[in-house]
Amino acid sequence: METNNKKVLIVGGICLVLFAIFIGLLPFKIVGAGTRGVVLRLGAVNRVMEDGFHFKLPLLEKVKILDIRTQKEQVTAEAASKDLQNVTTVIALNYNLVPDKVANLWKEIGSDYKERIIDPAIQEAVKAVTAQYTAEELVTRRAEVRDFIKADLLQRLSQEF
């Protein structure tokens, strides 16, 4: 009786391992709404999957999911005003990735695009605009400063990906 239990456990373990291997080798990928799947074949960008059900080559292709919905990035930026006063600003930026450019973004930047592109652009825009105003003007002309920072950011980020 004991040997039958061992056989059942061994067969069950083998079935579990085979099932895990099958799941790991599934030849399909489901890309959720509001995302794109960048297909990497042997590490190189091959194509982009739109949302939905897609087939992929097991072991040869991996899919990296990028969110193209509007996202929020909040950064604290420090700068100096025209009259050399230290200014600390909290900037909240709503952005989204351009669906047609996610393959190029992954190829050129990778998954850390926020840290490499967005955060530095915010810092540079705040420093560039803040330096044109005195500390008093930054308070009294707040809406104008905000609009100039927004325009500067739009220019910097649209030149990227």
Side-chain angles (χ1 to χ4, degrees):
M1 187 78 165
E2 195 172 302
T3 57
N4 285 340
N5 286 342
K6 285 183 182 179
K7 288 179 182 179
V8 169
L9 286 175
I10 291 172
V11 170
I14 291 172
C15 288
L16 188 62
V17 168
L18 290 175
F19 181 72
I21 290 172
F22 174 75
I23 294 295
L25 298 177
L26 285 179
F28 63 85
K29 180 70 175 178
I30 297 173
V31 179
T35 62
R36 293 292 184 267
V38 178
V39 179
L40 304 175
R41 182 176 293 165
L42 299 174
V45 174
N46 182 266
R47 66 185 186 280
V48 175
M49 294 177 173
E50 293 189 4
D51 52 349
F53 184 84
H54 300 275
F55 288 98
K56 67 180 185 78
L57 298 174
L59 300 176
L60 296 178
E61 292 182 337
K62 291 185 180 183
V63 180
K64 300 295 182 178
I65 302 296
L66 293 174
D67 196 343
I68 60 170
R69 294 174 287 204
T70 300
Q71 300 176 60
K72 179 181 177 181
E73 182 72 8
Q74 188 165 322
V75 176
T76 301
E78 295 187 14
S81 64
K82 189 176 185 179
D83 56 351
L84 301 179
Q85 298 294 313
N86 290 332
V87 178
T88 302
T89 309
V90 177
I91 301 289
L93 174 69
N94 291 326
Y95 70 94
N96 65 294
L97 301 179
V98 179
D100 297 338
K101 296 188 177 188
V102 293
N104 198 30
L105 176 70
W106 186 268
K107 189 185 302 183
E108 300 293 326
I109 306 297
S111 63
D112 57 346
Y113 58 88
K114 291 179 194 174
E115 294 82 15
R116 294 180 63 191
I117 300 295
I118 295 172
D119 293 348
I122 292 172
Q123 296 285 346
E124 292 170 16
V126 169
K127 287 178 182 179
V129 174
T130 302
Q132 298 174 16
Y133 295 91
T134 64
E136 181 182 346
E137 290 172 331
L138 288 171
V139 174
T140 59
R141 299 166 69 182
R142 187 177 193 162
E144 180 181 323
V145 173
R146 181 196 65 225
D147 291 343
F148 279 125
I149 290 173
K150 185 177 180 180
D152 190 294
L153 263 174
L154 184 61
Q155 178 189 7
R156 289 174 193 273
L157 293 175
S158 65
Q159 289 174 355
E160 294 295 336
F161 299 94

